[in-house]
Amino acid sequence: MATSVLIRCLVLFAGLAVASAEAQEASTVNAAAAINSSGTQFPPTGIPVLAVNTSSIPAREDPSLAGQHFRITAVEYSGYVDINEDPSTGKLKYSGYLIDILEELAKPHRANFTYELTPPSGFGSLCKPRLTLNETYPTISDHPEAYHPRYHGQFLCGESEVNDRPLTQYSTDMYWGIYYITPARLKVNKFTIPYAPPDRATTGMMGTATHIRSIHDLVASNNKYAVCSFSGTAFFELLLLTFPQLDIHGIALTDDFHAVMDDGTCEIVIGSFPILKQRVLKLYNDNKCLANGKPIGVIGEPLEYGLNAFAFGIRNDLPDSLVRTLNFWIQALMACFPEDPYGYCPNGQGSTSHLYTLHGGTGKECGYVQFPELDQGGLPVAAIVAIALTPVLLVVAVGMVYHMRQLKQQERRMKKRFIQQLARNIDIGESAREISAQKLSEAFQHIGGQDGLISKEDLAKWMNDLHLDFLSEQDFNRLWDAMDMDGTGYVDPIDFFAFLNACGEEFKEVNQEWDALPKSEKMKLAMLRLSNIKEKGEEEVQKMQRRHNKRSRMQMPGLAKGNPLGTSGADTSFFSEMSQL
């Protein structure tokens, strides 16, 4: 157990290895050479390239594609493949978990290939509506609708550009996205091995409906609920064939989930289980947890059968050696041990588990309850009871609204207090994603996670800070419950990062307060940075704090005048109090 947790810790929060000058120079040359015609550069500008000192690595002969170039159709799905236009250049930019995997596979010290990314063009046989070439538009570049954003999320459209015959101007070598391996696709194209995470990708449900355990319960409900699924995907047709009793409304993967549930179009959405969990997390981060006043969440358990593995599709006539090489490196990045300095992902760089850390979710972030305790069935004398209980119910309703508001305020308060404490140790930005893996790893270990886990006592000791707002026992217990999501009694790196990822608004608020501080106040805070503690030792930093505290008490009247966050000594702002160090 301890070994498993340690591996997860290293995978999640590994920092970059110290690069030798020779390896860094080689990475720069390779990066400059690999710019494709679509404007997508590999590696992308501004992303650090892991430079490994290869002089001490034992020689090994790993499969390589020797710099071959491929055209790849990338199909959009938020968080996995994101496609955005750069307003300054007009070119498309690609990002997301699967793009990260592609970049890692293509690196010169791995599969070693270059690539050109395009979204679905719209000319494939399964595109809707399908575009055609004619005398007016003899080439793809002439057609004004080619690569239109309406096609970016059409999975069937994307795969047809690989599988259509004969090969044409729009043909590509691979399709890249959250594609299921299906019997129909295996007949017309090759596949890589499934990538993981996510590990279990069978069909599940999300929405606002309650008292449903599975899709079989949904079928038995006789269309009591408005059910939706994703048209233009492999499992949509299978759902219609497998469950003909269900009246399933087709929606697009790019549709606004909250809008279709809030307007009553969908009470339940059927889709891939890990994708649904990610959608709930996104709704939570966007503060859109309620639809028609009901919390949204993952419903019940996914099916035990059906489509269950994601992989990348490859054109059938391309050599098997291409598939074997990609399979080798995909497996290497899924199975590598980060602590092995001679392994395939030293320090976790390139590990698929490491790349997946910002995605996922539990499906419970919005407070959805599958079987609400207060849900009441119909009563024989419902009208009489309703009249009798109306005053009581009104009081209860007001009390519940007040209670929910208090809980929300408490949640924000304790989250902000945590981010304030974190800001004393490391530089933060407007989200957890702006903090490097190395810094997050150092913070995790400083709080108490040297053994890969943070205990409740570790967190209490770290949060005990006289210079910040007092945290009540009730607030602290709620903070701990929010971090220890699985109730194990400890916080591992996955729990830690998932909590930080849910503190978007609090990061922004604390970061804005930090930006408002004058340089002199920021310099005072620098003594609490982990780098300073590492250099001077914790005991010496504590002495520095005591000296500053003593000096502050002697100079208290004068400090208020220079405080940009307030002019009164009673100001309770976080950084106002911190400036009294």
Side-chain angles (χ1 to χ4, degrees):
M1 175 66 184
T3 302
S4 173
V5 173
L6 177 59
I7 291 173
R8 295 171 70 196
C9 177
L10 290 168
V11 167
L12 179 61
F13 296 116
L16 295 175
V18 177
S20 66
E22 293 82 5
Q24 183 63 48
E25 181 179 357
S27 298
T28 303
V29 172
N30 287 326
I35 302 177
N36 60 55
S37 59
S38 70
T40 301
Q41 174 179 327
F42 169 74
T45 303
I47 295 180
V49 179
L50 176 66
V52 180
N53 185 355
T54 58
S55 61
S56 60
I57 297 179
R60 62 188 179 207
E61 294 185 3
D62 296 327
S64 169
L65 296 173
Q68 294 181 56
H69 186 78
F70 302 99
R71 296 185 71 235
I72 300 175
T73 298
V75 183
E76 185 173 32
Y77 184 78
S78 177
Y80 289 83
V81 174
D82 295 304
I83 305 175
N84 296 289
E85 183 176 313
D86 186 337
S88 61
T89 64
K91 295 181 178 180
L92 296 180
K93 298 176 65 177
Y94 300 80
S95 60
Y97 170 53
L98 301 185
I99 300 302
D100 293 342
I101 291 179
L102 177 60
E103 291 171 356
E104 294 296 338
L105 293 173
K107 286 183 176 179
H109 64 283
R110 292 189 176 127
N112 187 20
F113 63 92
T114 60
Y115 55 85
E116 172 188 352
L117 288 174
T118 68
S121 66
F123 291 89
S125 59
L126 300 179
C127 299
K128 295 182 179 181
R130 185 184 185 185
L131 304 178
T132 57
L133 299 176
N134 49 43
E135 293 181 357
T136 306
Y137 307 119
T139 67
I140 290 181
S141 58
D142 295 325
H143 204 296
E145 298 291 300
Y147 303 104
H148 192 279
R150 76 167 70 94
Y151 301 110
H152 287 187
Q154 290 193 24
F155 283 79
L156 299 181
C157 178
E159 72 177 83
S160 63
E161 301 196 345
V162 171
N163 296 330
D164 283 354
R165 295 294 182 274
L167 299 179
T168 65
Q169 299 177 34
Y170 63 79
S171 295
T172 56
D173 302 311
M174 308 179 204
Y175 53 80
W176 211 263
I178 47 172
Y179 277 95
Y180 277 118
I181 300 175
T182 69
R185 286 170 177 159
L186 284 168
K187 291 180 180 180
V188 292
N189 63 250
K190 299 173 181 177
F191 270 109
T192 65
I193 59 174
Y195 56 81
D199 302 288
R200 187 182 183 189
T202 52
T203 304
M205 300 179 291
M206 69 171 285
T208 58
T210 59
H211 294 87
I212 299 176
R213 294 181 177 87
S214 66
I215 292 180
H216 300 291
D217 283 357
L218 179 62
V219 172
S221 70
N222 295 318
N223 290 310
K224 175 182 177 181
Y225 305 97
V227 181
C228 301
S229 189
F230 305 111
S231 57
T233 61
F235 62 80
F236 184 69
E237 297 298 329
L238 287 175
L239 282 175
L240 297 179
L241 292 172
T242 307
F243 303 107
Q245 310 94 319
L246 291 178
D247 182 13
I248 304 177
H249 175 73
I251 60 174
L253 273 167
T254 52
D255 282 348
D256 185 331
F257 265 38
H258 185 265
V260 297
M261 284 187 280
D262 202 43
D263 65 13
T265 301
C266 312
E267 291 176 274
I268 295 175
V269 177
I270 302 176
S272 172
F273 199 57
I275 291 176
L276 298 181
K277 291 194 291 185
Q278 185 229 14
R279 283 286 184 156
V280 175
L281 176 62
K282 187 176 187 303
L283 290 172
Y284 175 82
N285 289 334
D286 293 341
N287 199 26
K288 293 181 178 180
C289 272
L290 299 181
N292 285 321
K294 302 176 183 178
I296 302 168
V298 166
I299 302 172
E301 291 297 319
L303 290 174
E304 294 294 334
Y305 57 86
L307 302 175
N308 55 32
F310 294 135
F312 306 119
I314 301 173
R315 214 173 71 204
N316 216 18
D317 59 333
L318 293 179
D320 290 340
S321 59
L322 166 62
V323 182
R324 288 195 300 270
T325 300
L326 291 178
N327 285 347
F328 175 90
W329 286 106
I330 290 172
Q331 180 61 33
L333 298 185
M334 290 192 296
C336 54
F337 283 77
E339 65 267 35
D340 181 1
Y342 306 134
Y344 292 112
C345 57
N347 297 315
Q349 295 304 308
S351 161
T352 56
S353 294
H354 175 86
L355 298 174
Y356 193 70
T357 53
L358 296 181
H359 309 282
T362 65
K364 301 177 181 178
E365 289 83 359
C366 287
Y368 171 85
V369 178
Q370 189 175 1
F371 294 94
E373 294 180 2
L374 297 179
D375 192 285
Q376 300 291 334
L379 297 174
V381 289
I384 299 175
V385 173
I387 294 172
L389 294 182
T390 294
V392 177
L393 293 176
L394 181 61
V395 172
V396 171
V398 172
M400 288 182 64
V401 170
Y402 176 78
H403 180 64
M404 292 297 293
R405 183 177 178 183
Q406 290 296 103
L407 287 179
K408 190 69 175 177
Q409 291 176 347
Q410 182 187 38
E411 180 182 2
R412 291 212 59 190
R413 182 170 64 250
M414 59 90 175
K415 280 184 177 179
K416 181 180 177 182
R417 177 65 171 75
F418 184 92
I419 301 305
Q420 290 171 345
Q421 196 75 40
L422 185 67
R424 302 199 75 184
N425 294 142
I426 61 174
D427 290 324
I428 65 169
E430 291 196 347
S431 72
R433 299 184 184 211
E434 296 185 20
I435 307 174
S436 70
Q438 177 69 27
K439 292 295 183 185
L440 287 174
S441 177
E442 292 174 359
F444 180 82
Q445 294 177 19
H446 176 69
I447 296 171
Q450 295 91 342
D451 58 351
L453 301 171
I454 295 175
S455 68
K456 193 172 183 179
E457 291 72 21
D458 291 334
L459 184 65
K461 182 179 178 182
W462 180 68
M463 294 289 291
N464 185 20
D465 193 324
L466 296 176
H467 298 93
L468 297 180
D469 289 339
F470 173 72
L471 191 67
S472 69
E473 182 177 359
Q474 184 181 21
D475 283 355
F476 176 77
N477 287 334
R478 182 164 173 78
L479 171 63
W480 176 255
D481 290 340
M483 297 183 69
D484 180 21
M485 292 182 291
D486 49 9
T488 58
Y490 58 79
V491 173
D492 63 19
I494 301 293
D495 297 329
F496 181 71
F497 198 88
F499 176 76
L500 290 181
N501 202 38
C503 295
E505 292 300 320
E506 290 73 28
F507 267 107
K508 291 179 182 179
E509 187 174 350
V510 173
N511 192 55
Q512 288 171 358
E513 291 178 350
W514 165 264
D515 288 341
L517 282 174
K519 183 177 179 180
S520 59
E521 305 303 331
K522 292 179 181 179
M523 290 177 66
K524 289 181 180 180
L525 295 179
M527 68 175 166
L528 296 170
R529 290 290 185 259
L530 295 182
S531 57
N532 198 38
I533 293 174
K534 183 177 180 180
E535 177 185 352
K536 295 180 169 56
E538 198 151 358
E539 185 176 348
E540 179 59 28
V541 169
Q542 290 175 355
K543 291 180 180 178
M544 292 170 61
Q545 277 193 275
R546 287 194 291 271
R547 289 197 295 270
H548 274 281
N549 290 341
K550 183 177 180 180
R551 190 178 303 121
S552 296
R553 287 192 293 270
M554 296 172 60
Q555 300 175 353
M556 186 70 72
L559 283 176
K561 297 179 181 179
N563 184 353
L565 301 180
T567 58
S568 170
D571 183 75
T572 58
S573 170
F574 160 54
F575 284 109
S576 174
E577 294 185 21
M578 289 181 70
S579 70
Q580 304 302 316
L581 292 175

